[in-house]
Amino acid sequence: MPPADPPRPAAVLITGASSGLGEALALEYARPGAVLFLSGRDAGRLDGVAAACRAKGAEVHPRVLDVADRRSMEAWVEECDDLRPLDLVIANAGISAGTSGGGEGAEQTRAIFAVNVDGVFNTVLPAVARMRPRRAGQIAIMASLAGYRGMPGAPAYCASKAAVKVWGEGLRGWLAPQGIKVSVICPGFVTTRMTAANRFRMPFLMDAPRAAGIMARGLAANRGRIAYPWPMAFLSWLGAALPDALMERLSRLLPAK
Ligand SMILES: NC(=O)c1ccc[n+]([C@@H]2O[C@H](COP(=O)([O-])OP(=O)(O)OC[C@H]3O[C@@H](n4cnc5c(N)ncnc54)[C@H](OP(=O)(O)O)[C@@H]3O)[C@@H](O)[C@H]2O)c1
């Protein structure tokens, strides 16, 4: 007999659910009995994802919201948790230089940190404040294999992902005795609107539904770091472990994000 599927979280909050990995995760968790709190900035795309999740039987509460807006995010997380105590919170929303179409200039560098780092704090901290008293809940932080080493093609993006990766790793050990699980997710290249901007061949490129399955299984197993696909994870690990002077020369050959 095949092994039974692990139990699925009932109440799930996902930022950046209007496209890409967030959309695929929403669809992955959508089923009868599930309550999904989904946010993004594009109302039309967010409504489309909400409708697709409802068609799979889930109760869905979409909200147009900027993750960089600390007060609104705090109010939204609390509102969702009041409606249904959150089992799983996925801080997924993110941007890269490619998202702006203009590279990592001064403004985009700051915007990347506002969304990819402050946006993660704005999602995770109010959720942890609610989970702590009930000593239950799970947090997933969307980092990236790009966070394993700074690359000349995307310094701010790599740095933002390194920041949330390391923060999440530390949080995991800190919050475990308080009954809260924390996982850091480090995808390689996945086909989404973000990678559609890349003008180079992306090794081990994966589609978003497959990536969502890997992430959901990793979260169900409470893995601290969910890094995939493994060949790309291995190369990223190796790149960070190589002598710096060698990696600096190699990284000059890589294309800009
Ligand atoms: N695709 C990859 O290969 C890959 C690899 C590693 C990590 N990641 C990470 O995965 C996450 C999702 O990216 P993706 O590839 O799925 O790209 P995507 O299709 O562009 O999705 C990004 C999502 O983030 C939302 N978002 C962006 N800025 C926001 C803001 N200020 N406030 C609220 N929502 C905001 C977008 O919403 P709107 O469009 O509605 O604004 C969208 O739903 C990001 O953190 C990214 O860094 C992606």
Side-chain angles (χ1 to χ4, degrees), residues 16 18-19 21 41-42 45 66-67 92 157 161 188 190 192 195:
S18 52
S19 82
L21 288 172
R41 291 168 310 172
D42 186 298
R45 276 194 276 109
D66 186 338
V67 286
N92 164 73
Y157 182 77
K161 293 300 175 181
V190 182
T192 65
T195 48

Side-chain angles (χ1 to χ4, degrees), residues 107-124:
E107 289 311 313
Q108 187 66 0
T109 294
R110 291 179 191 283
I112 286 171
F113 265 66
V115 176
N116 296 8
V117 180
D118 285 342
V120 170
F121 295 160
N122 295 342
T123 311
V124 171

